[in-house]
Amino acid sequence: MTDATPEWDPRQYGRFDGERDRAALDLLLRLPADLNPGEIWDLGCGAGQHAALLQRRHPRARVHGLDTSAAMLGEARQRSETIDWLQGDIACWHPVRPVDLIFSNAALHWLPDHQVLLARLLEALAPGGVLAVQMPMAHGTRHHGLLRAVAGAGPWAGALAAVPRMAALMPEEAYYDVLAREGARIDIWATTYLHALTGPDAVLEWMKGTALRPYLSALAGDAPMRAAFVSALGAALCEAFPPRPDGVTLLPFPRLFLVAQR
């Protein structure tokens, strides 16, 4: 799925930074210990916290952050680290020199044709270079299923019919096969995080930062319809994910990790 139209809201996305950062930090921990990159790209860098971390870890490297969102890059440019922030689409990205580390956290799942995409990213690596990717396995989750069901049932269904649905990832084995064909040394794993969210309508608020964005944009011209849709979705999510006695809402969220060294 490509989704360049709805703008990202750094404040809404950042409400759950602690939960979202967990996967990125776990990915960073699996980078080869002897990797000494001179050229680093963070593809889908968002507000830039991971590019900044990579720059601090590798102070002699040239670090670049690429994102489609001007709002997110505006946040990134407030950082003190010296990083080359660029607005652009990963689908059209071609580096001018071989890259030692391509890092991409929660971005590539928005793009189609992963077999071609991953082969192209590996080709951009220098010998010994590393591709490190984390992607949410969101399509099969209960909250995404409820989003699709509520969007397709109700007076808003016609207005939302043209909203692109997030596609499922390939099977995990297919990612291994793509990377293996390119001769990469591969570390691949999947895990499910059990996020402990707080606050009212916690799962709905989580989704407003990511998957719900194109749906809300499609209803932007009809405020009552938009409010009714959000209310119906919120009710369905609260029923499926009720708060615990301590007020915490538990959200299971599976993610796929790939680390491939050329």
Side-chain angles (χ1 to χ4, degrees), residues 54-111:
L54 287 165
Q55 198 276 329
R56 293 195 298 272
R57 178 181 288 190
H58 303 287
R60 296 184 180 181
R62 293 181 296 270
V63 181
H64 314 267
L66 180 79
D67 205 273
T68 59
S69 170
M72 286 292 201
L73 289 172
E75 292 287 313
R77 292 189 175 103
Q78 302 303 311
R79 298 183 178 277
S80 60
E81 291 81 8
T82 303
I83 295 171
D84 177 30
W85 304 110
L86 298 169
Q87 186 171 5
D89 190 339
I90 298 171
C92 305
W93 174 75
H94 294 282
V96 298
R97 60 180 66 88
V99 183
D100 300 303
L101 173 61
I102 297 173
F103 183 88
S104 184
N105 180 66
L108 298 190
H109 64 296
W110 294 108
L111 297 168

Side-chain angles (χ1 to χ4, degrees), residues 133-137 169 172 175 188-190 254-258:
V133 173
Q134 182 275 126
M135 294 181 288
M137 303 168 74
L169 298 185
E172 291 94 322
Y175 285 98
I188 179 170
W189 73 99
R255 298 177 183 272
L256 178 66
F257 297 78
L258 312 170

Side-chain angles (χ1 to χ4, degrees), residues 3 5-7 160 163 212-222 226:
D3 175 27
T5 303
E7 185 53 90
L160 297 180
V163 174
L212 196 51
R213 293 166 38 255
Y215 296 84
L216 298 180
S217 293
L219 297 174
D222 190 337
R226 175 171 163 155

Side-chain angles (χ1 to χ4, degrees), residues 161-225:
V163 174
R165 288 355 185 209
M166 183 182 293
L169 298 185
M170 299 188 303
E172 291 94 322
E173 296 86 349
Y175 285 98
Y176 182 91
D177 291 342
V178 170
L179 298 172
R181 281 199 298 270
E182 300 299 321
R185 187 168 62 189
I186 305 160
D187 186 7
I188 179 170
W189 73 99
T191 192
T192 297
Y193 294 89
L194 189 60
H195 295 308
L197 309 181
T198 58
D201 294 312
V203 179
L204 178 67
E205 292 300 316
W206 171 281
M207 298 188 79
K208 282 181 180 178
T210 53
L212 196 51
R213 293 166 38 255
Y215 296 84
L216 298 180
S217 293
L219 297 174
D222 190 337
M225 185 76 76

